[in-house]
Amino acid sequence: MSEAPKSAPAAAGAAAAAPRAGGVLSLSIKEKAGLFAAYMPFIKGGGIFIPTPKAYSLGEEVFMLLQLLDDPARIAVSGIVVWISPVGGHGNRTQGIGVQFTANEAGGQARAKIEGLLGGALQSSRTTHTM
């Protein structure tokens, strides 16, 4: 009888401690055109598209490290998956996920940094990874 309680907490502890396959999503964008294509200004609080072959679910929380243009500093921000572009999706779009920045200081800083880098380009009608 004592073995069931021992194995249950061990299994629960292992599941809680194990990171999700993929862990941290890392995205490095070197060109302004690439940043424009990835940024999602139509998402409340801002968001970014991350090309990835891994499967995610809408509403799933993710953690990202973003390196933008020539800035060596990485922006650490978390968010929620709000967009999924599957392989072979409409318009032959890149496979990946759109992540809405969390409504906190880090999310606000990521949005402000991206919008500052893009400036007037935000008004462009060029196509992006999502629309």
Side-chain angles (χ1 to χ4, degrees), residues 16 26 32 42 50 57 77 90 107:
S26 184
K32 195 173 185 178
F42 55 89
I50 300 177
S57 301
V77 63
H90 179 70

Side-chain angles (χ1 to χ4, degrees), residues 18-125:
R20 181 190 194 283
V24 175
L25 293 168
S26 184
L27 180 64
S28 179
I29 299 176
K30 301 292 185 193
E31 298 175 359
K32 195 173 185 178
L35 182 58
F36 175 83
Y39 185 54
M40 302 171 75
F42 55 89
I43 300 293
K44 183 178 178 181
I48 196 149
F49 180 83
I50 300 177
T52 180
K54 295 189 180 193
Y56 288 86
S57 301
L58 290 175
E60 188 171 342
E61 290 184 38
V62 296
F63 184 78
M64 303 162 286
L65 289 174
L66 309 175
Q67 187 173 10
L68 307 174
L69 307 183
D70 58 355
D71 188 349
R74 289 186 175 182
I75 301 169
V77 63
S78 59
I80 303 292
V81 176
V82 295
W83 185 283
I84 298 174
S85 290
V87 68
H90 179 70
N92 204 21
R93 301 232 186 249
T94 302
Q95 180 182 5
I97 58 172
V99 181
Q100 178 182 28
F101 299 137
T102 52
N104 60 19
E105 186 177 344
Q109 288 175 346
R111 177 183 182 191
K113 173 78 173 184
I114 292 169
E115 290 183 356
L117 290 169
L118 290 175
L122 285 170
Q123 305 307 317
S124 175
S125 61

